[in-house]
């Protein structure tokens, strides 16, 4: 069955439509008010990250000379590769296979698979012109349309190009199309699916660049392809793929990103897919720097007048204002073009026709780049294009979480346990520096903190600013008589507003201790509206922080360490300081205690036991997954080991899927921690307990 493309505009399924669809999903971050908590302006975190961006790029200027640009170009490429975790030194064999063919009048469609990484297979459709000889070739990458390479949006540009004599390869991105966790089409590869890649330092944006390079490798094995004449195009998330792959792989001579170009600052405040996030990008460039890597090769940016703000015409022009001078330095101002269409987020017929003209001029050397009309066409039934129709895909297919878990286990196998205390002290010092500066990007408490003095009451509030633009509240109270020495800080990433009703916080309070409930930035009542996307309650704030190069986990650890300083300055934090991290906040507590010796006892309660997960994370926070933490430091157990010899209690640990670990599953999980505590002669200071009541945990505080 073949399907005719309707003449009306398609409803876009890219990032804009994604945001509209997902925004109706209930927000997982509790935002109930409390008369104990200062109601911070919910947009303050967004204003904070934007101000941080301004400080980095307010004085940006385009390069004045070609030599200056070439120097900056090398630096941007190096930083991009670092952000993506590097690419394999040796490519896996492609082992390409054609699984079926559909014959049409002017072209045929081949259903192809090839290996991009060991045991990782890319599904693709090759559109091959029937005329003999070698042809210019175009890689077509999809955006967030449900059907991926099979979607009529993608088929249309492939058919149009094939009819014009181009060899076309349409590929499924990792986690999308035929490459999802399940076998049906329509999975979304973002949020907590792509999040499994962050601990290993291999973000989806970089994997897509590498896999698209492997797609080029495959194209160059085809006898129908004229090697030097290659282009790439895609819309929305596919436009981002086109921008990054086109910038990084110089084999592409013509690059056409559609409905995807704006600037990084415009991403702040939007909900974009994790496949569009380059960790730390704003710390070394703006989007214009990436786009300029394409120069002097041909670049046409397509924008729609009714697109989302981050992809709007005005935001694209801000980047082009820097890109055009780079092309002028190469004396090729005509090799960059901005094509604007009256349209919503799409890749419609007028856009395709503009792309045909651009590719024809720059890959075939024909015409002046003007649009080429597209004849009426019919697309295929999406099911007929699948390499593995229905449920026929192999059961051992490598998914994103499978790949992330495999790579994480291989990284951890390379970490050897220290054999004596002296070697451990040297290793621990290095790992703490790495955790603090490389992974968390600095957590040192501010030396000058603005504090609003508390009023005298049984429950006192300290309002303080860990850094300019962020206001937090520490609410503390003294428990019932008889009072006991020590202060207990209780953390929950759902916000301090829930802590007065938290069973654990209440039990600590009733034990006679001073209890401090701390509301961290961008959580609970401080979270911006609409922060939650599916399984990630902090999706947007964590994403903005990643782009900025300041992961939320690092910011949260800084908040906690600054709160300890504020409390200590006022006599509320003595030598018996305990931090209890509930749920995902347990990771915050562990990292803070690893870096701050003022924390005498750390307790995690129902917290994550390992970053390694063969399934998407459930009931976790995107913010506790900084890029490269497993690669550069280790798993949860390795971070916990950095707390030794201070007291540490792990209670009620959960897996990445959110399910409690049994006694058998816990066995061995914290062996690295136990080994270090034994090495330090502090075995009695560390305990792992499957499950305790709140009262039992309080007894552990003695």
């Amino acid at each position: 069955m073949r399907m005719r493309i309707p003449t009306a505009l398609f409803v876009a399924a890219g990032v804009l439509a994604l945001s509209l669809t997902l925004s109706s999903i209930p927000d997982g971050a509790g935002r109930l008010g409390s008369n104990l908590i200062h109601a911070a302006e919910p947009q303050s975190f967004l204003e904070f990250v934007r101000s941080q961006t301004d400080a980095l790029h307010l004085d940006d200027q385009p390069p004045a000379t070609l030599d200056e640009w070439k120097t900056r170009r090398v630096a941007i490429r190096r930083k991009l590769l670092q952000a993506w975790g590097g690419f394999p030194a040796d490519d896996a064999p492609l082992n390409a296979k054609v699984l079926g063919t559909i014959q049409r009048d002017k072209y045929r469609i081949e259903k192809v698979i090839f290996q991009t990484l060991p045991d990782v297979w890319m599904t693709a459709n090759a559109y091959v012109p029937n005329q003999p000889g070698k042809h210019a070739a175009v890689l077509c990458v999809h955006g967030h349309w449900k059907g991926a390479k099979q979607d009529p949006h993608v088929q249309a540009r492939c058919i149009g190009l094939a009819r014009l004599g181009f060899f076309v390869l349409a590929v499924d991105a990792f986690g999308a199309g035929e490459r999802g966790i399940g076998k049906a089409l329509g999975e979304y590869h973002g949020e907590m699916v792509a999040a499994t890649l962050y601990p290993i330092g291999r973000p989806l944006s970089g994997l897509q660049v590498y896999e698209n390079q492997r797609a080029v490798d495959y194209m160059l094995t085809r006898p129908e392809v004229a090697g030097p004449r290659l282009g790439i195009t895609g819309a929305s998330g596919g436009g981002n793929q086109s921008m990054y792959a086109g910038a990084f792989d110089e084999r592409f001579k013509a690059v056409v990103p559609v409905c995807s170009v704006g600037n990084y600052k415009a991403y702040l405040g939007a909900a974009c897919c994790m496949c569009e996030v380059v960790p730390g990008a704003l710390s070394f460039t703006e989007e214009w720097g990436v786009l300029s890597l394409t120069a002097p090769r041909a670049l046409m940016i397509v924008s729609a007048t009714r697109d989302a703000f981050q992809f709007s015409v005005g935001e694209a022009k801000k980047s082009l204002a820097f890109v055009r001078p780079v092309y002028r330095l190469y004396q090729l101002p005509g090799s960059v073009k901005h094509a604007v269409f009256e349209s919503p987020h799409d890749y419609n017929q007028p856009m395709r026709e503009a792309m045909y003209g651009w590719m024809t001029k720059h890959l075939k050397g024909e015409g002046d780049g003007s649009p080429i009309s597209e004849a009426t066409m019919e697309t295929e039934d999406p099911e007929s294009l699948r390499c593995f129709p229905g449920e026929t895909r192999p059961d051992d297919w490598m998914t994103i979480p499978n790949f992330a878990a495999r790579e994480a286990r291989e990284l951890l196998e390379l970490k050897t346990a220290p054999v004596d205390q002296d070697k451990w002290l040297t290793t621990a010092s290095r790992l703490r520096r790495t955790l603090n500066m490389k992974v968390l990007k600095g957590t040192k408490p501010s030396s000058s903190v603005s504090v609003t003095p508390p009023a005298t009451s049984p429950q006192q509030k300290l309002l303080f600013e860990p850094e300019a633009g962020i206001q937090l509240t520490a609410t503390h109270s003294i428990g019932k008589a008889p009072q006991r020495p020590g202060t207990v800080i209780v953390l929950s990433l759902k916000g301090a507003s829930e802590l007065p009703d938290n069973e654990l916080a209440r039990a600590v309070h009733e034990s006679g201790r001073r209890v401090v409930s701390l509301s961290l930035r961008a959580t609970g009542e401080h979270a911006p509206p609409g922060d939650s996307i599916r399984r990630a309650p902090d999706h947007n704030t964590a994403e903005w922080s990643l782009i900025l190069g300041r992961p939320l986990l690092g910011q949260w650890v800084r908040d906690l360490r600054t709160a300890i300083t504020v409390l200590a300055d006022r006599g509320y934090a003595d030598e018996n300081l305990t931090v209890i991290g509930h749920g995902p906040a347990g990771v915050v507590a562990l990292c803070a205690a690893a870096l701050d010796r003022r924390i005498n006892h750390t307790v995690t309660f129902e917290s994550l036991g390992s970053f390694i997960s063969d399934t998407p994370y459930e009931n976790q926070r995107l913010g506790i997954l900084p890029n490269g933490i497993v690669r550069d430091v280790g798993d949860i157990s390795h971070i916990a080991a950095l707390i030794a010899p201070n007291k540490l209690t792990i209670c009620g640990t959960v897996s990445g899927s959110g399910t409690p670990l049994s006694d058998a599953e816990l066995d061995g999980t914290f062996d690295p921690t136990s080994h270090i505590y034994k090495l330090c002669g502090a075995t009695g200071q560390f305990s792992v307990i499957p499950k305790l009541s709140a009262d039992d945990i309080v007894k552990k505080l003695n």
Side-chain angles (χ1 to χ4, degrees):
M1 175 183 177
R2 306 180 73 188
M3 302 168 63
R4 183 174 298 277
I5 297 177
T7 55
L9 289 174
F10 287 105
V11 176
V15 171
L16 175 61
L18 175 70
S19 301
L20 295 174
T21 301
L22 301 186
S23 64
S24 62
I25 297 174
D27 187 350
R31 300 207 180 107
L32 298 176
S34 169
N35 58 6
L36 300 180
I37 303 299
H38 175 72
E41 169 57 48
Q43 290 297 334
S44 61
F45 185 75
L46 176 56
E47 293 165 1
F48 168 74
V49 292
R50 284 174 171 166
S51 68
Q52 294 270 300
T53 300
D54 287 341
L56 290 169
H57 295 288
L58 196 60
D59 297 326
D60 279 3
Q61 295 292 331
T65 67
L66 190 56
D67 285 343
E68 178 190 343
W69 165 243
K70 287 181 177 179
T71 300
R72 293 169 72 172
R73 185 180 191 278
V74 169
I76 293 171
R77 283 182 62 89
R78 183 180 68 252
K79 292 286 189 179
L80 277 173
L81 193 57
Q82 290 174 352
W84 290 330
F87 294 155
D90 299 309
D91 295 329
L94 290 167
N95 294 336
K97 303 172 186 177
V98 177
L99 303 182
T101 302
I102 299 172
Q103 189 65 53
R104 293 297 174 232
D105 290 341
K106 295 184 178 181
Y107 59 93
R108 68 181 184 274
I109 306 172
E110 295 178 357
K111 294 178 271 189
V112 180
I113 62 170
F114 51 89
Q115 189 176 225
T116 58
L117 292 153
D119 300 318
V120 177
W121 293 85
M122 179 173 260
T123 48
N125 292 142
Y127 292 73
V128 187
N130 286 339
Q131 57 264 46
K134 290 185 176 291
H135 308 281
V138 177
L139 179 62
C140 282
V141 286
H142 64 80
H144 296 103
W145 280 274
K146 185 175 181 179
K149 75 178 186 301
Q150 292 84 195
D151 197 277
H153 273 78
V154 181
Q155 288 190 53
R157 75 195 75 140
C158 295
I159 293 170
L161 284 164
R163 285 178 168 179
L164 292 171
F166 290 90
F167 178 98
V168 183
L169 188 69
V171 297
D172 279 330
F174 207 177
E178 297 192 73
R179 305 178 67 196
I181 296 170
K183 297 182 180 182
L185 298 180
E187 272 193 29
Y188 176 49
H189 62 186
E191 41 100 21
M192 287 309 200
V193 177
T196 59
L197 296 164
Y198 282 118
I200 65 171
R202 300 288 297 278
L204 187 53
S205 57
L207 280 174
Q208 287 182 338
V209 171
Y210 180 71
E211 287 207 306
N212 287 331
Q213 288 184 332
R214 299 311 319 278
V216 172
D217 294 342
Y218 168 71
M219 290 164 68
L220 293 178
T221 68
R222 296 291 302 236
E224 305 94 340
V225 172
R229 297 185 285 147
L230 302 177
I232 184 171
T233 188
S236 189
N240 267 263
Q241 289 190 61
S242 300
M243 175 179 72
Y244 287 118
F248 211 79
D249 192 330
E250 296 180 357
R251 293 175 294 181
F252 291 117
K253 304 306 179 187
V255 180
V256 184
V258 176
C259 288
S260 62
V261 171
N263 57 76
Y264 289 144
K265 185 180 177 181
Y267 282 17
L268 309 180
C272 297
C273 179
M274 299 310 296
C275 72
E276 299 170 70
V277 174
V278 176
L282 273 168
S283 68
F284 60 86
T285 189
E286 244 292 357
E287 193 166 318
W288 71 266
V290 176
L291 289 161
S292 296
L293 295 179
T294 307
R297 295 168 288 130
L299 172 66
M300 181 169 74
I301 294 168
V302 175
S303 299
T305 56
R306 288 178 277 131
D307 209 335
F309 175 76
Q310 68 268 30
F311 304 144
S312 64
V313 175
E315 297 306 302
K317 285 182 176 179
K318 291 178 183 178
S319 288
L320 278 161
F322 286 79
V323 175
R324 292 189 188 280
V326 173
Y327 274 83
R328 286 197 291 268
L329 292 175
Y330 285 102
Q331 299 182 357
L332 288 169
S335 289
V336 61
K337 180 178 181 180
H338 191 197
V340 178
F341 295 87
E342 176 59 37
S343 171
H345 192 81
D346 206 344
Y347 201 152
N348 55 31
Q349 183 174 336
M351 295 173 179
R352 296 195 298 270
E353 291 174 343
M355 178 268 291
Y356 299 151
W358 191 256
M359 295 292 189
T360 298
K361 175 183 177 180
H362 292 282
L363 298 184
K364 291 186 174 185
E366 300 172 3
D368 61 2
S370 299
I372 295 175
S373 296
E374 177 185 278
T376 301
M377 66 174 71
E378 291 183 347
T379 59
E380 309 293 332
D381 177 358
E383 189 70 14
S384 71
L385 293 177
R386 296 182 64 177
C387 298
F388 302 103
E391 298 291 314
T392 62
R393 192 185 75 182
D395 292 335
D396 61 352
W397 192 261
M398 185 74 71
T399 67
I400 286 178
N402 294 157
F403 172 79
R406 182 188 74 179
E407 297 296 300
R409 293 184 181 106
E410 290 180 0
L411 287 168
L412 293 179
E413 285 177 2
L414 300 175
K415 298 185 182 297
T416 57
V419 295
D420 60 55
Q421 190 171 8
D422 287 342
K423 288 185 178 179
W424 166 244
L425 292 175
T426 301
T427 300
S429 178
R430 174 180 57 80
L431 288 176
R432 288 190 184 101
R433 287 195 303 270
T434 300
L435 175 64
N436 188 29
M437 300 309 299
K438 184 176 181 181
V439 176
L440 301 182
K441 305 302 182 183
T443 68
K444 183 179 179 180
S446 175
S447 58
S448 177
V449 184
S450 173
V451 180
T452 302
T456 301
S457 68
Q459 292 172 324
Q460 297 179 340
K461 293 184 295 182
L462 286 173
L463 275 60
F464 65 98
E465 291 187 352
E467 52 189 314
I470 297 293
Q471 187 178 67
L472 302 179
T473 305
T475 303
H476 64 98
S477 59
I478 302 296
K480 299 179 180 179
Q483 295 179 4
R484 301 189 184 189
T487 296
V488 180
I489 299 176
V490 184
L491 296 178
S492 170
L493 296 183
K494 291 184 178 180
S497 59
E498 76 159 20
L499 288 177
D501 297 322
N502 180 285
E503 179 186 0
L504 180 56
R506 187 167 59 251
V508 174
H509 182 269
E510 291 175 353
S511 73
R513 294 172 175 83
R514 175 182 285 110
V515 183
V516 176
S517 57
L518 177 62
S519 187
L520 301 175
R521 70 181 74 187
T523 68
E525 61 278 1
H526 301 313
D531 199 16
S532 175
I533 298 293
R534 293 189 176 180
R535 288 168 287 214
D538 57 343
H539 180 277
N540 297 340
T541 49
E543 182 181 79
W544 305 337
S545 298
L546 281 168
I547 297 170
L548 182 62
R550 293 193 59 193
L552 265 182
L553 179 58
Q555 295 182 61
W556 288 333
V557 170
R558 177 171 177 155
D559 289 345
L560 175 55
R561 296 185 69 187
T562 303
I564 293 172
T565 298
V566 170
L567 292 168
D569 288 346
R570 282 149 185 80
Y572 302 138
D574 52 26
E575 294 181 358
N576 188 8
L577 174 64
T578 297
V579 174
I580 300 177
H582 185 202
V587 180
V588 181
L590 291 176
C591 289
L595 300 173
D596 200 318
R597 311 313 285 179
R598 296 176 297 177
I599 301 173
N600 307 108
H601 186 187
T602 308
V603 181
T604 67
F605 180 56
E606 298 177 345
S607 186
L608 187 66
S610 173
F611 289 118
I612 302 174
S613 181
D614 287 285
T615 61
Y617 297 113
E618 297 279 356
N619 301 319
Q620 297 301 326
R621 289 282 179 136
L622 186 58
I624 65 169
L625 305 168
N627 194 47
I629 192 167
V630 167
R631 177 195 64 201
D632 298 328
V633 179
D635 206 354
I636 298 290
S637 58
H638 299 88
I639 297 168
L642 295 172
I643 298 172
N646 286 359
K647 192 173 181 181
L648 171 62
T649 304
I650 306 290
C651 180
T653 308
V654 300
S655 68
S657 63
T659 57
L661 296 182
S662 65
D663 290 8
E665 290 171 323
L666 268 177
D667 186 34
T669 299
F670 285 91
D671 279 356
T673 316
S674 298
H675 173 71
I676 296 303
Y677 270 84
K678 184 177 180 180
L679 208 61
C680 294
T683 303
Q685 292 285 86
F686 173 61
S687 57
V688 181
I689 306 159
K691 183 68 175 177
L692 283 181
S693 69
D695 290 335
D696 290 333
I697 293 175
V698 169
K699 292 176 183 177
K700 285 282 182 181
L701 304 182
N702 294 331

